[in-house]
Amino acid sequence: MDLVIRDAHVIDGTGRPSYRADVGLKDGRIAEIHREGEGRRPTAPRTLEAQGLALSPGFIDMHAHSDLALLRDPAHTAKAAQGVTLEVIGQDGLSYAPVDDRTLAEVRAQITGWNGDGSDIDFTWRTVGGYLDRLDHGFAGEGIAVNAAYLVPQGTVRMLAVGWEDRPATAAELGRMKRLVAEGLEQGAVGLSSGLTYTPGMYADDAELTELCRVVAAYGGYYCPHHRSYGAGALRAYEEMIELSRTAGCALHLAHAVMNFGVNEGRAPELLALLDAALADGADVSLDTYPYTPGSTTLAALLPGWAGEGGPEAILARLRDDATAARIGHALEVTGSDGCHGVTVDWESVEISGVADPALAPYVGRSVARSARERGEEPWATARRLLLEDRLGPTILQHVGHEENVRTIMRHPVHTGGSDGILHGAKPHPRAYGTFPHYLGRYVRELGVLSLEECVAHLTSRPAARLRLPDRGLVRVGHRADLVLFDPETVAAGATFEAPRTLPTGIPYVLIAGRFVMEDGRRTDVLAGRTVRRTPAG
C-alpha cells in the first residue's frame, strides 16, 4: 500500500448501510478494504487515522460551469473543498468547443456572464479534442484541480453550422452538425447538451434535435437538455424531452430539473409521476438538481428568442433602438418571454449577482426593481441600460423556487447532484461553493430528507452510472481512489447569499487518484485532475 486510511466509517456509494474499515490505496486505486474484525490489517508507509470520519467516493458534479475556471485557477478550491472530484462541463448547449474563430468570439461574448470574457485565457484549441488536451495539460503540464468530463454543446454546434438564424437547418447544415457531434464524441465527449431557452440553440426543432441525439446514442452517450421551459410550460417541456430521447434511442439526463415560478408551486409530484411512467416503460432517464430555491443565469437570457437572432451584436443593436427595446420590454413584462420560461418577469425577484464593468458594481446585490426605484425609473429601463453598458455581461439570481419542490425532487431514485455553479461575478449563487456540503449538512443531518447513505449514493454512484464510468463512484477494490473524508456531524456549506465564496466546514480530506488535494482542511498544491473521456463505441 501507498497509504492506509485507518478506521474509517465507510459509506461506499451503494446506498447500503455504512461499515468500519481500513482502506488501502496503491497506484491511485483502492487496493484493499479491511473490515473491522477481519484478519490482518493493511500497512503502508503512510497511515491516516480517520478517527471516525466518513469515507465516501468523491462527489460528482453533474452540472458545472467551470469550463474556463479550470484553466484560470489552479487551486479551484470552490469545488475541491466541497469534495468534488469530477465535474461535467460543456453545459446548457454553450461552451468553447467545437468552434472556429468567428464562433469563439461570439460564444465568449454570449456567456461572459458565466465565465468572464476569457481575455486571460489562451484559446489554443478549436476542437473538442483540443480543448480536452488543453485541460489535461493544465498548469505547466501538471493537470487541473479536479477531473472533468465534457458535453458537446448543441447551441455552439448550431452557431458553427447554421449561425444565429431562427429557421430550420438545411439538409447540408444538419449533416455538418451531426458530423461535429460525432467528432466531439469520438474525441472524448460523454454526450450532448442543449440550452433550449438560449439562442441559438432554442432555434432547433425537435426533428433536428432527434437527429443529433441518434448520433449520441450510437456512441453510448447521453443527452442533457436545459429544456424549453422551467416555468409556464415546464411539464410539457419535460415530456417533450422524454419523447424526443426515446424516439432517438438516446439516454436522457434532465439538467437542473426544478419546478420554479409561481405556476409550478407544489407541482413536483407531477414531474415525478411523468418520470416514473417513462421509467416503467423502459426509458433511460435521470436528472440533477441543486439544493437551493433561487436560480442563476445571465440577465440577457431573459430576453425573447427573437431578440437574440443574429448574435450578441444584433442583440445590442436592438436594445439601442427605442422601438425595438419597447417590444422587448412588452414581451418581458406583459406577454411572457420564452427566455423567461413563458412567464412575465418579476423584477423584484431578479437580483444582479455580477457585472463585467467594475463601474457598475453598485448594482450587485440589488434587485433590478430596487435599483430602478433608487434611480426613479421603470425596471425595464434599468435592465436595458445595464445590458447595454455592460455589453450583456450581468449575471443574476432569480428568486423563483419552492422549497417543497426542491425536497420532493431530491428524494427520487434517479436524482443526482449538480451545482449549476457559476464561479464568475462579484456575488455568485452560493451553490457554486456550497452544493455538496449543503446536501449533507442541511438536507441529511438537519432535515432528514435523505439518509446519509442514500444521499452519498445520489452524489457518487448514480452520476458515475449515468456517465458509464465502471471504476468510479464506489468505495470498492480496483476503483479509482477519488475519495472524500468528512464529518457527518459538522459538514456544512459555509457559502450564503450574503457571503457566497465562503468555503465549507467538516471536509478535511479529499483525494484524487490517491493524492491529497485537500489535507487538514487546506488546499494542497496537487493537480491530480484529468479529463474523463468516453471511449468511442464499436
Side-chain angles (χ1 to χ4, degrees):
M1 302 298 111
D2 299 321
L3 169 71
V4 171
I5 302 171
R6 187 83 71 195
D7 194 29
H9 180 66
V10 177
I11 304 173
D12 66 5
T14 63
R16 293 193 290 267
S18 60
Y19 58 89
R20 293 276 185 173
D22 299 341
V23 177
L25 311 182
K26 178 72 173 176
D27 296 332
R29 292 185 178 269
I30 299 169
E32 186 172 345
I33 299 175
H34 177 275
R35 294 198 183 218
E36 189 175 36
E38 294 179 347
R40 182 187 58 82
R41 303 178 80 178
T43 60
R46 181 175 181 187
T47 298
L48 174 63
E49 296 292 341
Q51 298 180 331
L53 290 174
L55 174 68
S56 81
F59 305 137
I60 298 176
D61 188 342
M62 285 295 287
H63 194 101
H65 287 285
S66 303
D67 305 50
L68 297 186
L70 284 165
L71 296 173
R72 177 179 290 131
D73 177 15
H76 200 45
T77 311
K79 294 300 178 69
Q82 292 186 62
V84 171
T85 58
L86 170 61
E87 297 184 277
V88 185
I89 56 178
Q91 298 285 353
D92 294 329
L94 292 166
S95 189
Y96 305 94
V99 292
D100 58 15
D101 291 350
R102 171 185 63 82
T103 54
L104 176 60
E106 291 170 346
V107 77
R108 285 174 62 182
Q110 185 179 16
I111 57 174
T112 187
W114 292 358
N115 299 302
D117 64 9
S119 58
D120 55 339
I121 302 294
D122 183 9
F123 289 91
T124 56
W125 68 86
R126 294 295 182 269
T127 66
V128 169
Y131 174 58
L132 297 180
D133 288 345
R134 178 69 181 83
L135 289 172
D136 279 336
H137 185 269
F139 297 88
E142 294 185 31
I144 49 179
V146 304
N147 298 310
Y150 188 72
L151 295 164
V152 178
Q154 171 258 330
T156 304
V157 166
R158 198 173 210 272
M159 199 184 303
L160 187 57
V162 181
W164 291 80
E165 297 177 52
D166 183 1
R167 61 168 176 79
T170 67
E173 290 166 342
L174 180 57
R176 187 181 180 200
M177 284 190 283
K178 291 169 69 174
R179 289 192 298 274
L180 288 167
V181 172
E183 289 167 3
L185 292 161
E186 288 168 358
Q187 293 164 12
V190 297
L192 176 74
S193 76
S194 282
L196 299 179
T197 64
Y198 300 137
T199 55
M202 66 158 58
Y203 300 147
D205 60 22
D206 285 0
E208 179 179 315
L209 295 171
T210 299
E211 286 303 303
L212 299 183
C213 284
R214 292 188 198 278
V215 176
V216 176
Y219 285 89
Y222 69 94
Y223 181 43
C224 181
H226 163 130
H227 49 271
R228 297 191 193 275
S229 175
Y230 288 81
L235 287 173
R236 174 58 197 137
Y238 284 116
E239 187 176 11
E240 175 193 8
M241 293 298 101
I242 291 170
E243 292 171 355
L244 185 156
S245 65
R246 294 189 67 182
T247 299
C250 185
L252 176 67
H253 181 82
L254 297 166
H256 38 60
V258 294
M259 294 289 286
N260 283 344
F261 302 94
V263 294
N264 289 318
E265 185 172 4
R267 299 188 70 187
E270 296 177 59
L271 166 60
L272 300 187
L274 181 64
L275 285 180
D276 287 338
L279 291 164
D281 204 28
D284 184 1
V285 186
S286 56
L287 56 85
D288 64 67
T289 68
Y290 46 84
Y292 299 87
T293 52
S296 179
T297 186
T298 63
L299 182 59
L302 304 184
L303 303 180
W306 60 261
E309 192 170 6
E313 291 303 322
I315 297 172
L316 291 167
R318 291 186 181 99
L319 289 168
R320 292 186 194 101
D321 180 77
D322 289 342
T324 308
R327 284 183 60 208
I328 294 172
H330 188 269
L332 288 168
E333 297 178 340
V334 179
T335 62
S337 161
D338 51 359
C340 195
H341 311 282
V343 301
T344 56
V345 173
D346 173 9
W347 294 113
E348 295 285 359
S349 74
V350 179
E351 176 187 349
I352 303 299
S353 60
V355 290
D357 183 353
L360 300 172
Y363 291 94
V364 174
R366 288 177 163 84
S367 71
V368 171
R370 176 183 169 184
S371 290
R373 286 193 297 271
E374 291 173 352
R375 292 183 58 84
E377 61 188 10
E378 293 300 313
W380 169 233
T382 299
R384 176 192 178 191
R385 187 169 40 76
L386 276 171
L387 288 166
L388 284 169
E389 292 182 11
D390 209 36
R391 293 189 57 81
L392 311 182
T395 50
I396 62 170
L397 302 182
Q398 203 167 7
H399 297 271
V400 292
H402 306 285
E403 179 66 21
E404 79 264 32
N405 285 351
V406 170
R407 298 187 194 188
T408 298
I409 293 169
M410 74 170 63
R411 293 188 184 101
H412 196 275
V414 300
H415 169 267
T416 66
S419 70
D420 196 10
I422 295 173
L423 298 167
H424 182 68
K427 195 178 179 186
H429 196 303
R431 66 194 184 191
Y433 282 73
T435 286
F436 296 87
H438 200 49
Y439 268 119
L440 297 168
R442 175 67 172 160
Y443 288 93
V444 171
R445 185 179 64 248
E446 296 178 9
L447 298 177
V449 175
L450 293 167
S451 71
L452 183 57
E453 290 85 354
E454 181 67 8
C455 185
V456 167
H458 285 235
L459 307 181
T460 59
S461 64
R462 291 183 188 172
R466 165 52 69 219
L467 294 165
R468 298 184 181 177
L469 302 176
D471 60 352
R472 299 175 194 260
L474 295 169
V475 179
R476 181 172 291 174
V477 171
H479 276 51
R480 292 180 182 271
D482 295 351
L483 301 167
V484 181
L485 284 134
F486 65 91
D487 184 348
E489 299 303 317
T490 63
V491 62
T496 64
F497 289 99
E498 293 71 30
R501 296 186 187 276
T502 308
L503 297 178
T505 57
I507 305 179
Y509 300 100
V510 181
L511 300 94
I512 295 179
R515 302 169 65 195
F516 286 99
V517 297
M518 296 292 297
E519 189 169 7
D520 294 324
R522 294 185 295 273
R523 180 69 172 93
T524 70
D525 61 0
V526 168
L527 295 170
R530 299 293 185 273
T531 59
V532 175
R533 308 194 192 199
R534 180 170 301 284
T535 301

